[in-house]
Amino acid sequence: MTTTLWVARPEIAEAVRDLPGVTVEVWADGPAPGSIEDVEFYVPVLMPSPAGLEAMARMPRLRVVQLQTAGFEHVEPHLPEGVTLCNARGAHDAGTAEWAVGAIIAALREFPEFAAAQREGRWAYRQTAALADSRVLLVGYGSIGQAVERRLAPFEVQITRVASRAREGVHGVDELPELIGHADVVVLLVPANEQTRGMIDAEVLARMKDGALLVNAARGGVVDTGALVAETSRGRLRAALDVTDPEPLPPDHPLWRCPGVFITPHVAGSTPASVRRIARLVREQAARYLAGEPLRNTVAGPPVPTPRVGHGR
């Protein structure tokens, strides 16, 4: 008996197709193929549509949902009972860290403003800020935070680390109000959950030093958007954002027009390197599932999924 895998990308399908005893189908959206009742291992698209989430309830043999994102809060409420949910922790570290460092440099050196001047044919010489000698506060010190720190190391900066709990060399998040006022650059890399939603509110933003840069590579809901608009619209703070709340950001939203705000449309992890690493992760996870071994990055459900009755392994 074969094991049916549904995956959202052809690249993932190619990575797992040669595993013994598997049937692989590529499904991203639209009408579900008739084999939905056979699916045991499901890899949805990066941000599943309501149809993609609802499909899980129609998979009676489903045992594993492997996400392509580190965040899983958008999928967990729809997870059928007894199904193992795994995230893609680590797969987007390089892309997100590259974006964070690139966004910091672009914002501090005012690349967006110079690009606008170029389009106008205007030679807009002026002195800018620099990353060298800056104090950088990393808020969230998991695998992505560590990847950001490694890439910042050659830039001669002073780094302070903050995580949910204090440990050697890392401050606890309860110290954030005291630490944030000393930072020239604040990089948000925390997961999205009840504890982090709105954690960067008006009070916390008010503690940031004049001219400081807020970089959000986490989730839009971590920052109070109205409070950020208030601070950036008068030029007191700057921001580089890959995520916003709401998202997508409506065309008429005031955040688009705030001076010193640089916005990209949630693309930090959208790189070929991330796709390759996701494909490798899915292959490893599928092989572990077929062998009855514990899965990596389990965030809900049993670490070793129970095979369906009559599985042919």
Side-chain angles (χ1 to χ4, degrees):
M1 185 177 292
T2 63
T3 299
T4 299
L5 285 69
W6 272 16
V7 301
R9 292 177 180 269
E11 298 93 338
I12 298 175
E14 286 302 312
V16 299
R17 204 180 298 281
D18 66 337
L19 291 174
V22 301
T23 297
V24 184
E25 293 193 42
V26 178
W27 182 68
D29 211 342
S35 59
I36 189 168
E37 294 189 355
D38 298 326
V39 177
E40 293 184 46
F41 194 109
Y42 178 42
V43 183
V45 297
L46 280 167
M47 296 302 293
S49 66
L53 296 171
E54 184 273 334
M56 293 188 293
R58 296 187 287 122
M59 299 175 179
R61 299 181 180 184
L62 184 63
R63 295 296 177 267
V64 179
V65 176
Q66 171 63 58
L67 301 180
Q68 298 186 63
T69 57
F72 57 90
E73 69 283 351
H74 56 301
V75 175
E76 188 174 17
H78 304 272
L79 190 71
E81 185 176 356
V83 174
T84 298
L85 178 65
C86 302
N87 71 357
R89 183 180 188 271
H92 299 284
D93 289 3
T96 303
E98 284 182 9
W99 180 90
V101 174
I104 292 169
I105 294 173
L108 292 178
R109 301 308 304 265
E110 301 185 26
F111 287 173
E113 290 87 344
F114 288 128
Q118 178 183 348
R119 288 191 293 272
E120 299 170 4
R122 180 165 49 87
W123 190 262
Y125 174 83
R126 61 183 174 276
Q127 188 179 68
T128 70
L131 182 52
D133 301 332
S134 295
R135 294 183 176 184
V136 180
L137 182 66
L138 300 179
V139 184
Y141 196 65
S143 62
I144 296 178
Q146 293 167 37
V148 171
E149 180 175 20
R150 290 194 298 272
R151 286 160 176 79
L152 283 174
F155 287 95
E156 303 173 21
V157 300
Q158 178 182 322
I159 294 176
T160 302
R161 312 171 192 92
V162 173
S164 57
R165 292 181 297 277
R167 55 187 186 271
E168 186 176 355
V170 182
H171 297 270
V173 72
D174 57 307
E175 300 177 70
L176 179 61
E178 299 174 13
L179 296 170
I180 201 165
H182 302 286
D184 301 296
V185 180
V186 178
V187 186
L188 304 179
L189 301 160
V190 295
N193 54 43
E194 289 301 315
Q195 288 70 45
T196 62
R197 181 159 188 86
M199 68 181 295
I200 308 299
D201 58 15
E203 181 179 348
V204 174
L205 290 171
R207 290 175 177 266
M208 291 179 64
K209 65 194 297 186
D210 290 353
L213 173 67
L214 180 72
V215 180
N216 192 356
R219 286 291 186 270
V222 172
V223 178
D224 181 327
T225 302
L228 182 61
V229 168
E231 292 284 8
T232 56
S233 62
R234 59 192 180 95
R236 198 187 76 79
L237 298 179
R238 303 189 63 161
L241 312 171
D242 188 51
V243 290
T244 60
D245 183 23
E247 187 175 307
L249 197 63
D252 59 348
H253 198 285
L255 192 58
W256 286 115
R257 291 170 291 282
C258 289
V261 174
F262 173 41
I263 300 172
T264 59
H266 206 153
V267 298
S270 298
T271 70
S274 294
V275 174
R276 289 191 294 269
R277 294 171 192 211
I278 289 168
R280 289 198 295 266
L281 172 63
V282 173
R283 180 183 173 84
E284 178 185 348
Q285 295 284 73
R288 286 173 176 266
Y289 173 66
L290 293 168
E293 298 175 353
L295 301 182
R296 290 177 52 194
N297 298 352
T298 299
V299 292
V304 183
T306 304
R308 62 179 171 83
V309 176
H311 195 287
R313 286 184 278 167

